[in-house]
Amino acid sequence: MLIGVILFAACTMLVALLLYTRTSPFQRTPLCPNCQIPYLKLVDPPDSPERRSYEVLACPQCTNTTTRVHGSPSRFAYCPSCNQRTLETPARRLPPTLEAPLSVEIDERCHVCGHEHVVILPPPFHTPVVMRGRVIPFPGAKR
């Protein structure tokens, strides 16, 4: 009887914790609160040496952005310099361009060690410069 009560209390506390943190054990895709569509996860390229302790999510329709740590929304992540969870990561959406229609800028600031870094996801890639003004010549007038 006592074991049943303890198991019931533990299950109730687990469900309450999952509801409180709005996470699930099955890692469902988070939804934008305005549009109710799934967020897109912005990642670094695979060959990038930087590994982040947080994920950056952006809505493809509106300007909402958020960061997650351990699957839960959080604006504080682990600092790469001092390894404390004091790295503030405010994210803002950048205006769309032809090269990057969906990009986010994150200002990393640690309040303990003073680490500062600006991250743009996805990272801008350099496109070759197109020679403007060069056109295909039309054939001359045939008489």
Side-chain angles (χ1 to χ4, degrees):
M1 177 75 177
L2 181 62
I3 294 174
V5 171
I6 292 172
L7 287 176
F8 178 74
C11 290
T12 304
M13 288 177 58
L14 177 66
V15 169
L17 178 70
L18 291 176
L19 289 175
Y20 177 73
T21 59
R22 296 182 184 161
T23 60
S24 79
F26 306 113
Q27 288 295 328
R28 68 178 189 265
T29 306
L31 299 176
C32 174
N34 290 346
C35 308
Q36 296 301 318
I37 60 171
Y39 276 119
L40 293 178
K41 183 178 173 182
L42 302 177
V43 295
D44 285 325
D47 58 346
S48 174
E50 296 183 31
R51 297 289 174 237
R52 304 199 192 297
S53 62
Y54 58 92
E55 299 174 332
V56 179
L57 304 171
C59 179
Q61 278 190 335
C62 65
T63 59
N64 282 346
T65 58
T66 186
T67 55
R68 290 192 323 176
V69 178
H70 299 302
S72 296
S74 176
R75 67 174 208 187
F76 289 102
Y78 293 97
C79 178
S81 297
C82 64
N83 293 325
Q84 300 294 318
R85 194 165 176 179
T86 55
L87 184 71
E88 190 174 11
T89 56
R92 75 175 182 93
R93 188 81 167 264
L94 295 175
T97 62
L98 291 176
E99 294 82 20
L102 176 68
S103 60
V104 175
E105 180 183 73
I106 302 104
D107 295 323
E108 296 180 347
R109 288 186 303 266
C110 180
H111 299 286
V112 173
C113 69
H115 170 80
E116 290 187 4
H117 186 61
V118 176
V119 179
I120 296 177
L121 289 177
F125 57 92
H126 299 290
T127 56
V129 178
V130 178
M131 301 282 289
R132 294 185 185 244
R134 292 189 133 191
V135 295
I136 301 173
F138 287 100
K142 294 183 182 178
R143 292 178 209 213

